[in-house]
Amino acid sequence: MKKKQHSKHTFLGIILILLGIILLGVVAFTYFRLSSFFKGGSENISHNKNLETLAASFNNIYPENIPPSGNVHEVTLEAKESAIEIIEGYKTNVWSYNEQVPGPEIRITKGDTIKLTLVNNLLDETTIHWHGVRVPNEMDGVPHVTQDPVQPGETFVYEFTPKDAGTYWFHPHVRGSEQLERGLYGTLIVEDPDEHNLFSSDNVLVLDDWRLTEDAQVNPNFLLPHDVTHDGRWGNVITINGDVNPEYAFKPGERIRLRLVNTSNARIYKLFLGNLNAQVIAFDGLPVAKTFSAEGFELAPGNRIDLDITLPNSEGTYSVLDVFTGYQNELFTIKTKGEPISASKEKTKTISIPDVSSALTAETDMNYVLNGGMGSMMMGRGNSGTWTINGEVYPNITQAVFDKNALYKVSFINESVGIHPMHFHGLFFKVLARDGKEVNEPYMQDTVLVHPEETVDVLMMPKDSGTWAMHCHIQEHADAVMMTLFEVK
Ligand code: C2O
Ligand code: CU
């Protein structure tokens, strides 16, 4: 009896010791993981003293904060597998929010708060990033940086008050090359309560590009080496709100607003509008400083463009095409039918962007050198199958540290033969010059297309603190791992 009890104690002791070892292991592993995730340290970027006069007017382009209205929109988004019909007669299996592709259009008024519960019923971890929206840093959806990825079966609540009216979208920030391609994205429209509604119809058109197999399934070969080392995954089927070349009917003379959102992994669209007079009234969310014709405009992955179209006064059919590659891809068709109606001629809201030409000759504060891909592999630069920013591969990166409310001149220097739509989280910037030549573009943006071997200079003023991501929006480049972080203090 006594002996038996003794051995029972020994047994319990061993169990306790084992548990202790496991616990220590978990702690050590977690510590090691966190401490080894980012390797490069940080670097303070001093801002350009010559730009201080300009900084004062730049500061007024968008506000640091806005008063909340107190209205709260509660939304639940369930990420799960489902099926949609893209090609007539076929069910295409997709990953969706609330069984819809595109996911729901969330429409609120500026000042309103969104309280959104993401329910992850996928078999993969995920997050939601609010593209172009200035959210509190911890709501930005960047895994291991602003939050832990949401595991299958888990939920996460995103709560924020968008500070700028405009056209925005959301998508996962985990393995985008697969998660976006399979259909995970939706739109967030923030209406401006001060803006008169001049339009009889306000439409969100989500442009996506799919690589489908013969039986209309999403081709499961993600991150093919050829796509990664070239310009990403370009597909064979283009959809607008999930439909191939849809037709929209309006009355002759109607004034309509179209909000185009490029959610494609890699495809760039160049708009050909033919006989439609389409004016650009907003880009990447914010209104433009001066409207201009949308003809020939290039919409890179991530970009949004808001068009103001007063339709011709007679009945007709108008096709809107993409001509980026030289081929003509039909995007959608507009049909005018019925009795003509007359529309308001009032101008839409614009913002004021100061004259930035004094910054042209200013020294650059921060260079981002873009490299990698096939070209650099053949010339012996870069690692095979990866893309680099300043020679670094995420997460082994140096964090640039910027001061809040200071104005910086930043250059993207593309040394590769690839195209890179570069996206800053948490701020808007103004393109200043391409290859040293001034561009007079009357708009701010959050994603800029950098062409092969081109240098693009931009001016930016961060206003929201935290650690933010900056990356190429071609999903196959971002996943291979063309991304860095910057801190705003
Ligand atoms: Cu839409 Cu980090 O991107
Ligand atoms: Cu890229």
Side-chain angles (χ1 to χ4, degrees):
M1 188 68 187
K2 212 177 173 190
K3 202 170 177 222
K4 206 174 178 188
Q5 225 171 31
H6 179 75
S7 74
K8 204 174 175 183
H9 279 146
T10 316
F11 179 70
L12 267 175
I14 290 174
I15 294 280
L16 278 175
I17 287 169
L18 280 178
L19 277 175
I21 291 173
I22 291 170
L23 193 71
L24 268 176
V26 168
V27 169
F29 176 76
T30 311
Y31 176 77
F32 174 76
R33 247 192 55 184
L34 290 178
S35 65
S36 68
F37 199 72
F38 306 109
K39 288 217 183 85
S42 61
E43 188 192 339
N44 284 312
I45 310 301
S46 54
H47 66 271
N48 218 305
K49 296 284 177 288
N50 296 329
L51 297 180
E52 261 160 25
T53 348
L54 184 56
S57 41
F58 209 88
N59 187 41
N60 296 326
I61 299 177
Y62 57 90
E64 194 177 328
N65 281 304
I66 60 149
S69 66
N71 294 338
V72 180
H73 296 255
E74 294 201 25
V75 186
T76 301
L77 277 191
E78 185 192 8
K80 64 182 292 192
E81 292 183 24
S82 55
I84 58 166
E85 187 179 281
I86 297 173
I87 308 290
E88 229 188 287
Y90 290 89
K91 283 273 169 238
T92 302
N93 296 318
V94 292
W95 294 4
S96 66
Y97 293 124
N98 296 358
E99 305 194 318
Q100 291 164 246
V101 177
E105 173 186 318
I106 302 171
R107 206 177 258 264
I108 64 166
T109 302
K110 190 166 93 174
D112 294 356
T113 298
I114 290 177
K115 190 171 177 194
L116 181 137
T117 306
L118 166 66
V119 181
N120 182 9
N121 281 333
L122 300 167
L123 296 173
D124 200 3
E125 58 183 28
T126 192
T127 62
I128 295 182
H129 166 61
W130 304 91
H131 185 117
V133 188
R134 292 188 297 132
V135 295
N137 190 243
E138 62 277 15
M139 296 290 120
D140 201 45
V142 180
H144 307 293
V145 178
T146 65
Q147 69 170 100
D148 287 331
V150 184
Q151 298 303 321
E154 283 185 357
T155 62
F156 188 90
V157 179
Y158 293 94
E159 187 169 351
F160 57 90
T161 307
K163 298 194 241 188
D164 310 287
T167 306
Y168 302 94
W169 65 297
F170 53 90
H171 60 77
H173 226 277
V174 174
R175 286 183 281 286
S177 57
E178 176 168 6
Q179 296 201 359
L180 271 79
E181 179 71 6
R182 287 197 186 273
L184 289 172
Y185 45 75
T187 50
L188 169 61
I189 308 303
V190 184
E191 290 181 349
D192 189 337
D194 303 333
E195 204 175 357
H196 298 158
N197 189 11
L198 308 173
F199 305 98
S200 52
S201 159
D202 180 333
N203 312 270
V204 180
L205 303 185
V206 176
L207 281 63
D208 197 9
D209 169 43
W210 306 74
R211 190 181 287 173
L212 299 182
T213 58
E214 300 233 305
D215 54 349
Q217 296 309 309
V218 176
N219 187 310
N221 300 314
F222 301 102
L223 292 175
L224 285 179
H226 183 273
D227 296 337
V228 171
T229 54
H230 292 77
D231 292 328
R233 173 166 164 142
W234 289 56
N236 48 11
V237 175
I238 295 171
T239 57
I240 310 295
N241 295 346
D243 298 321
V244 177
N245 191 13
E247 186 180 288
Y248 304 113
F250 298 101
K251 298 250 153 36
E254 249 190 275
R255 186 174 179 187
I256 60 172
R257 180 178 192 140
L258 301 183
R259 302 171 186 258
L260 272 47
V261 184
N262 185 358
T263 66
S264 311
N265 281 37
R267 185 182 288 277
I268 297 156
Y269 302 87
K270 183 174 180 177
L271 300 177
F272 177 83
L273 293 133
N275 291 329
L276 289 177
N277 171 14
Q279 294 291 310
V280 180
I281 54 171
F283 186 60
D284 278 1
L286 296 183
V288 298
K290 190 176 183 299
T291 60
F292 58 96
S293 165
E295 190 63 68
F297 199 91
E298 288 178 357
L299 203 62
N303 285 146
R304 291 87 62 211
I305 193 172
D306 290 30
L307 305 178
D308 173 356
I309 304 176
T310 299
L311 294 167
N313 256 316
S314 52
E315 294 196 339
T317 304
Y318 308 90
S319 317
V320 176
L321 308 175
D322 152 51
V323 295
F324 183 79
T325 58
Y327 290 99
Q328 298 191 345
N329 295 309
E330 283 174 326
L331 297 178
F332 57 93
T333 304
I334 288 181
K335 214 177 188 132
T336 49
K337 252 186 107 172
E339 280 298 301
I341 60 169
S342 69
S344 148
K345 295 208 162 49
E346 205 183 314
K347 287 206 163 68
T348 53
K349 186 170 179 171
T350 50
I351 56 169
S352 72
I353 300 177
D355 178 3
V356 292
S357 49
S358 63
L360 274 171
T361 51
E363 245 180 79
T364 296
D365 303 310
M366 176 69 198
N367 285 320
Y368 287 112
V369 177
L370 317 176
N371 216 329
M374 205 53 200
S376 77
M377 261 167 71
M378 290 190 311
M379 293 170 70
R381 300 184 303 211
N383 317 357
S384 68
T386 62
W387 292 93
T388 56
I389 299 177
N390 291 343
E392 297 176 332
V393 170
Y394 189 81
N396 302 321
I397 49 94
T398 309
Q399 289 193 36
V401 182
F402 297 106
D403 289 335
K404 196 167 151 173
N405 296 326
L407 186 61
Y408 292 90
K409 182 170 172 180
V410 173
S411 298
F412 293 108
I413 303 166
N414 186 1
E415 291 187 346
S416 77
V417 293
I419 43 176
H420 305 292
M422 300 307 295
H423 171 46
F424 270 108
H425 285 207
L427 57 86
F428 300 100
F429 56 82
K430 169 83 186 77
V431 174
L432 198 58
R434 289 185 181 268
D435 285 334
K437 270 213 237 95
E438 178 166 20
V439 295
N440 266 317
E441 297 164 342
Y443 50 85
M444 304 293 290
Q445 58 201 107
D446 58 47
T447 305
V448 62
L449 181 59
V450 185
H451 296 91
E453 294 175 323
E454 185 183 47
T455 293
V456 177
D457 301 328
V458 311
L459 280 179
M460 62 104 154
M461 180 182 279
K463 291 195 175 187
D464 294 84
S465 341
T467 303
W468 303 94
M470 197 284 285
H471 61 91
C472 177
H473 218 284
I474 289 182
Q475 296 302 318
E476 291 68 28
H477 291 182
D479 282 356
V481 250
M482 197 174 190
M483 168 154 145
T484 189
L485 299 174
F486 64 99
E487 197 186 331
V488 178
K489 269 210 217 161

